Amino acid sequence: MPPFKQIEEEEMERVAVIGAGTMGTGIAQTCAESGYEVLLFDRNRESLEKALSTIKTYLNRSVTKEKMTARDRDVIFNRIRICTDCNELKEVDYLTEAVTERTSIKQEVFKKLESVCREDVIFATNSSGLSITELASALKYPHRIIGTHYFYPVPKMKLVEIVRGAQTSDETASTALRFTQSLGKKAIEVKESPLFVFNRILIPMINEAIFVLQEGLCRKEEIDEAMTLGANHPIGPLALADVIGLDTLLYVSETLHTETGDPKYRPPLLLRQMVRAGQLGRKTSKGFYEYISDNCRERKEIIG
């Protein structure tokens, strides 16, 4: 392990977010709102432009609702810079990865980052349940990786799960905790386990809702209403599955099933069929519901 300089919160000025998808976009916005200079990296320029458009739309709504001034909006937006060249990450002080939820893909990203970033830069992964220890095993300095699992939508949701791998250092954990707290988040420290805590509870619930639909017990709208009206959930499990992405949901379900060997975590056949059909939820405009663009806002169309 190389000498590790614990970065104090006031010394952290430049942070990077890797991946301009839904979660990466939200993390970048949250960091900018908290006063950090943000470098949002993605190899796909179109994804970066979409991320900026999404952030601008969100901030404009906040101005319209008088939650911030136009000047505040501009200051926050101008803190975010996009890039497709990983060499620009050389001078960042803290880094959060939010790429596809696949161990092999994340490991390749981290190996590339390790060749570019300073040795004292922490690699925080937004994984929703992958093994932090396994992710770290591909690196020369595995002590620098930690799980910081944010929740959708990141600017609004307060919770972050902080998960240490077997070799995560105390300095890494301490810095990650202070950083997430500086974003106004409530962090809970979780022992490494398949899907951590939140998804360990959530994924079986969503799967059971899909089984109920698969068995034809009631309509999808009624399944969602059962949980929004009966359990006071802000969104129904099938609509939430569309937000998560059905391919991601299937992957994490399979991971939990494989890691635990418990049949109660088996994914529903209907979920597999929808993923094979390319009906992945909001990201493809069709999942359990259809989604169409309406004045830069997504709205749900009830179908079937």
Side-chain angles (χ1 to χ4, degrees), residues 131-134 136 142 145-147 163-169 190 192:
S131 168
I132 308 304
T133 300
E134 185 175 2
I145 293 186
I146 191 164
V163 188
R164 296 175 62 149
Q167 298 183 72
T168 302
S169 70
V190 179
E192 186 176 41

Side-chain angles (χ1 to χ4, degrees), residues 44-177:
N44 188 316
R45 187 80 186 185
E46 184 178 341
S47 295
L48 290 168
E49 296 293 346
K50 182 180 178 182
L52 288 181
S53 176
T54 298
I55 293 170
K56 183 176 288 186
T57 298
Y58 187 100
L59 295 176
N60 282 337
R61 283 188 206 144
S62 295
V63 173
T64 300
K65 295 177 181 179
E66 299 183 345
K67 294 182 177 180
M68 69 173 63
T69 66
R71 183 179 181 279
D72 290 337
R73 173 200 60 200
D74 294 342
V75 169
I76 292 169
F77 189 76
N78 289 331
R79 289 188 184 124
I80 302 171
R81 184 163 62 88
I82 60 175
C83 76
T84 57
D85 182 0
C86 65
N87 288 316
E88 294 189 45
L89 301 169
K90 289 181 178 179
E91 297 304 318
V92 300
D93 301 316
Y94 185 96
L95 184 148
T96 300
E97 166 274 317
V99 303
T100 303
E101 190 74 347
R102 297 287 190 277
T103 296
S104 59
I105 293 175
K106 289 181 183 290
Q107 285 180 325
E108 285 302 313
V109 169
F110 281 129
K111 283 193 287 188
K112 180 62 177 178
L113 293 171
E114 194 171 42
S115 71
V116 174
C117 297
R118 301 193 317 262
E119 291 179 353
D120 64 337
V121 175
I122 288 171
F123 293 164
T125 175
N126 184 52
S127 172
S128 59
L130 299 179
S131 168
I132 308 304
T133 300
E134 185 175 2
L135 290 176
S137 67
L139 296 185
K140 181 179 180 181
Y141 303 127
H143 68 282
R144 72 195 306 182
I145 293 186
I146 191 164
T148 55
H149 176 212
Y150 295 82
F151 293 82
Y152 177 86
V154 180
K156 292 184 178 180
M157 300 297 282
K158 292 292 186 183
L159 181 65
V160 177
E161 289 180 313
I162 294 186
V163 188
R164 296 175 62 149
Q167 298 183 72
T168 302
S169 70
D170 291 341
E171 293 86 355
T172 294
S174 175
T175 302
L177 176 61

Side-chain angles (χ1 to χ4, degrees), residues 39 50 169 208 264:
L39 187 59
K50 182 180 178 182
S169 70
E208 195 61 33
K264 72 180 179 183

